[in-house]
Amino acid sequence: IQQIEKSGMDLRLLRTARLNAAGARNVGVKEAKSEWLAFLDADDIWYPHHLECAVALLRQGDDIAYLCHNDQLRCDVNKEGEFVARNTFPPVDKPTTGLSDELFFSWWARRAWFCTCSLVVRREAFLAAGGFDPTQIRRHDFEMFLRVIHGKTWAYNPTAGMAYRFLINRDCVSGNIEETCYYTLRGLFKNRGLYEGDTMRRTIRQWAAKTAKYAVLSEGKTGNHRAWELCWPHLGPLQRCVYGLGQRSPGLVDGAK
């Protein structure tokens, strides 16, 4: 914070009282005055061309959002980290406008990846969709985007515009698999009425199985009951048998899908 304050940049530092990431971001959006919003976490990196590329592509049409490809900076707790190139969005090999909401969801269903810091979104559209859901403790970003782009179009740039820092450490936010699975499934449930069809049904079944698996492997941590309530109706008979037995013997489900 001291470095930012000394940078000479024209900015305001907002302080919030014990809000989670979704709540804090909503405060920032409420105070913002510009037509477009862009997000940057403290540990991630925008490349110098990121916003310039976003503006250039958004000026070409009426899209309400922009996403770009991102690199990954994988860090061990005891190392500086290394940049790892990620595979880009398969159907798009050049900067493209006018992409549909259904295309985004089908892509997300295959990759389950959304990077908030690659996003530039029209503030009016963000607010109209209700912003981030503060009850969505994790994965509030992809859940928000499903609502924002429903019935609208977005733009994508396959050139990496930023780097996402991924800590190889189970104690970090990215490493809490049980919570990630639960809130991913919760986000899908919340938006299943907007994206009805085989892709949504298949994706819910997949994440229900993952949620059940990691609820078992977490060995009775607080909150597992909510995971079971959410995923159980969407498990097949064999999965119910395996995961039900797994509650008594977690080793049974270590390799289950």
Side-chain angles (χ1 to χ4, degrees):
I1 293 176
Q2 292 177 343
Q3 290 179 336
I4 294 175
E5 290 176 333
K6 293 178 180 179
S7 68
M9 296 176 62
D10 182 15
L11 56 81
R12 285 189 299 152
L13 178 62
L14 304 176
R15 300 183 185 276
T16 62
R18 293 184 175 275
L19 295 178
N20 57 24
R25 284 170 169 166
N26 282 339
V27 170
V29 170
K30 182 179 179 180
E31 293 296 320
K33 306 300 181 184
S34 63
E35 180 182 358
W36 296 92
L37 305 170
F39 302 89
L40 179 62
D41 290 346
D43 58 345
D44 297 331
I45 302 170
W46 276 349
Y47 295 157
H49 60 268
H50 171 54
L51 294 180
E52 181 180 359
C53 289
V55 169
L57 196 57
L58 288 168
R59 282 177 174 170
Q60 295 181 24
D62 297 322
D63 299 316
I64 58 93
Y66 166 97
L67 290 172
C68 68
H69 180 52
N70 66 276
D71 294 326
Q72 191 174 84
L73 179 58
R74 297 181 66 85
C75 300
D76 191 289
V77 290
N78 298 317
K79 297 180 181 179
E80 288 296 323
E82 62 176 337
F83 283 94
V84 177
R86 296 174 56 87
N87 292 330
T88 188
F89 186 17
V92 177
D93 59 4
K94 62 182 179 180
T96 304
T97 61
L99 300 172
S100 71
D101 55 349
E102 292 291 346
L103 179 61
F104 171 79
F105 182 66
S106 66
W107 165 69
W108 183 91
R110 294 196 300 274
R111 296 185 64 194
W113 177 257
F114 183 86
C115 188
T116 315
C117 298
S118 74
L119 171 66
V120 178
V121 61
R122 193 180 294 274
R123 182 173 180 269
E124 181 181 6
F126 177 91
L127 293 174
F132 292 110
D133 177 3
T135 69
Q136 188 77 10
I137 306 301
R138 301 181 192 272
R139 293 297 180 97
H140 61 273
D141 44 11
F142 101 92
E143 188 280 322
M144 169 276 298
F145 199 63
L146 289 178
R147 288 182 281 113
V148 168
I149 63 165
H150 178 61
K152 301 178 179 63
T153 61
W154 56 289
Y156 182 78
N157 187 350
T159 300
M162 53 86 58
Y164 171 80
R165 191 183 302 269
F166 183 86
L167 291 176
I168 309 172
N169 175 5
R170 188 167 173 76
D171 293 330
C172 72
V173 171
S174 303
N176 192 321
I177 303 176
E178 302 85 24
E179 289 271 292
T180 296
C181 288
Y182 169 74
Y183 281 106
T184 298
L185 184 59
R186 187 178 186 267
L188 290 169
F189 275 0
K190 182 176 179 180
N191 291 282
R192 63 187 184 277
L194 301 181
Y195 297 86
E196 295 179 318
D198 291 340
T199 300
M200 176 60 83
R201 287 189 288 271
R202 182 174 62 252
T203 305
I204 285 179
R205 289 195 300 268
Q206 291 171 348
W207 280 97
K210 291 181 181 179
T211 301
K213 174 179 177 178
Y214 287 104
V216 170
L217 295 179
S218 63
E219 299 180 354
K221 291 181 180 178
T222 302
N224 278 5
H225 63 282
R226 65 182 183 182
W228 285 113
E229 290 177 358
L230 195 61
C231 71
W232 192 259
H234 300 276
L235 299 176
L238 180 58
Q239 290 173 322
R240 291 185 179 187
C241 179
V242 171
Y243 294 126
L245 291 172
Q247 293 183 73
R248 297 185 178 183
S249 180
L252 290 174
V253 303
D254 197 22
K257 295 183 179 180

